[in-house]
Amino acid sequence: MNLEENKQICRRLMEEAWTLGSLHTVDETVASDCRFHDPAFPSLAPGAESYKQHIHMCRGAFPDLSCSADDILAERNEVVIHWTVRGTHKGNFLGLEPTNRAVMVSGTSIHRVEGGKISELWADWNSQALRDQLGFGQSDSKTNKAIARRFVEEIWNQKKPERINYFVTEDYTRFSPTGTLQGAQGLRRDYDTYVSAFPDCHIQIEDLICEGDQVGARFIATGTHSGKFGEVAPSGKHVSVPGAAMLRIANGKVVSEYVTWDTLALMQQIGAVPAEAARTRSSRA
């Protein structure tokens, strides 16, 4: 294909798929095994289907999203587009709650075209400009602390497990005394285990410390043992357990979480481990 035809393929992807929401255009312009590179979305999987889901997610956050190609260049089998995106923030995006603000963000994409379809795509855009326009243009420390607080408050305290996908990345990993779990589904299973046993569970954050993309938290978890917890029948007892966590946050989402708490104190308070046995173990240690 000649250079103008390659330009037209990339222009169609921008104008029809991104601006008009015509996702069938992705099938016509993007290879089934196309690879994507975007620092804001490091977990974006290869393929046209993945890219359609990505566009759908972005347009869900900015329903009136429109893209314009400001400059377009082509050489060999590569097409470079400098573009501008405009839209109104109506849905959650990169962990940022809807603000109803209008934004304008620019970026550059490089497309490799092979056999009439895009086989690889690199995108780079000013995510900080987006945050500034949405009113989140504060320091990384304040932003990451706010994300950590909302992560705990909405999922655990407000009992909104449907929000898990908004707060964690696709490759999210959680390390805790009960083991290692992966992804949103893994966190949902952990959530169900604890909330079914302690329906009124509440996590009170006592302190937050942030440096770079790492947020350290000290907390106290409370609740009433009203459901079966493992093999332990409901005791009706109120528990209060201290703990600590270390979260890594990137692009507005939690990537990993190291959580620890006093498991012995928890089991002792629900009657699974007698207090005398706990003291004996402590003295032997």
Side-chain angles (χ1 to χ4, degrees):
M1 303 187 77
N2 61 40
L3 298 182
E4 289 304 317
E5 289 174 326
N6 286 348
K7 286 183 181 181
Q8 182 58 23
I9 290 169
C10 300
R11 188 181 286 112
R12 282 192 63 203
L13 178 65
M14 176 169 292
E15 295 177 352
E16 296 179 24
W18 281 99
T19 298
L20 300 179
S22 177
L23 297 183
H24 72 268
T25 302
V26 177
D27 294 317
E28 298 171 0
T29 58
V30 176
S32 60
D33 59 350
C34 179
R35 292 173 293 172
F36 307 101
H37 311 274
D38 186 334
F41 300 96
S43 301
L44 186 58
E49 287 301 319
S50 172
Y51 202 59
K52 285 193 287 187
Q53 294 173 16
H54 178 62
I55 294 174
H56 179 73
M57 181 275 295
C58 293
R59 288 187 54 81
F62 299 88
D64 59 346
L65 183 147
S66 66
C67 301
S68 61
D70 304 321
D71 289 294
I72 182 166
L73 307 171
E75 184 178 348
R76 300 186 303 275
N77 65 338
E78 293 183 337
V79 177
V80 181
I81 300 179
H82 179 67
W83 44 262
T84 299
V85 171
R86 296 172 176 82
T88 307
H89 187 211
K90 298 285 189 177
N92 191 287
F93 186 72
L94 291 175
L96 304 177
E97 294 293 333
T99 61
N100 205 38
R101 294 189 180 188
V103 299
M104 181 177 69
V105 178
S106 61
T108 300
S109 296
I110 301 175
H111 313 71
R112 178 172 293 151
V113 182
E114 296 175 320
K117 289 191 175 183
I118 299 167
S119 61
E120 196 159 8
L121 192 159
W122 293 262
D124 195 14
W125 52 282
N126 193 341
S127 59
Q128 186 58 53
L130 174 66
R131 291 175 180 274
D132 290 343
Q133 292 175 60
L134 295 178
F136 295 95
Q138 51 191 331
S139 69
D140 288 341
S141 176
K142 290 183 179 179
T143 299
N144 289 340
K145 282 183 179 180
I147 292 170
R149 284 190 183 278
R150 295 206 316 271
F151 174 61
V152 171
E153 181 63 27
E154 294 190 28
I155 295 173
W156 292 100
N157 295 342
Q158 296 180 13
K159 307 297 183 291
K160 295 181 178 179
E162 69 275 9
R163 299 288 289 164
I164 289 175
N165 281 304
Y166 288 106
F167 282 103
V168 304
T169 60
E170 293 179 2
D171 56 353
Y172 163 83
T173 306
R174 175 182 170 96
F175 305 90
S176 76
T178 57
T180 302
L181 55 84
Q182 300 281 340
Q185 291 184 343
L187 180 55
R188 177 58 191 263
R189 288 193 297 270
D190 209 41
Y191 170 91
D192 289 341
T193 296
Y194 283 93
V195 173
S196 62
F198 304 90
D200 61 344
C201 66
H202 182 88
I203 298 176
Q204 177 65 42
I205 295 178
E206 299 290 303
D207 195 14
L208 281 179
I209 299 174
C210 180
E211 181 175 339
D213 62 355
Q214 303 275 357
V215 178
R218 180 171 58 85
F219 63 86
I220 295 177
T222 58
T224 306
H225 184 211
S226 304
K228 189 175 181 180
F229 183 61
E231 298 301 318
V232 184
S235 65
K237 294 183 177 181
H238 182 77
V239 301
S240 179
V241 179
M246 179 72 75
L247 295 80
R248 186 166 73 84
I249 298 173
N251 298 313
K253 289 199 172 189
V254 181
V255 177
S256 62
E257 187 181 9
Y258 293 82
V259 188
T260 185
W261 59 84
D262 192 338
T263 54
L264 180 58
L266 172 62
M267 300 305 284
Q268 183 180 344
Q269 290 176 52
I270 63 176
V273 177
E276 184 60 36
R279 286 194 293 271
T280 301
R281 292 180 186 179
S282 178
S283 63
R284 288 177 179 174

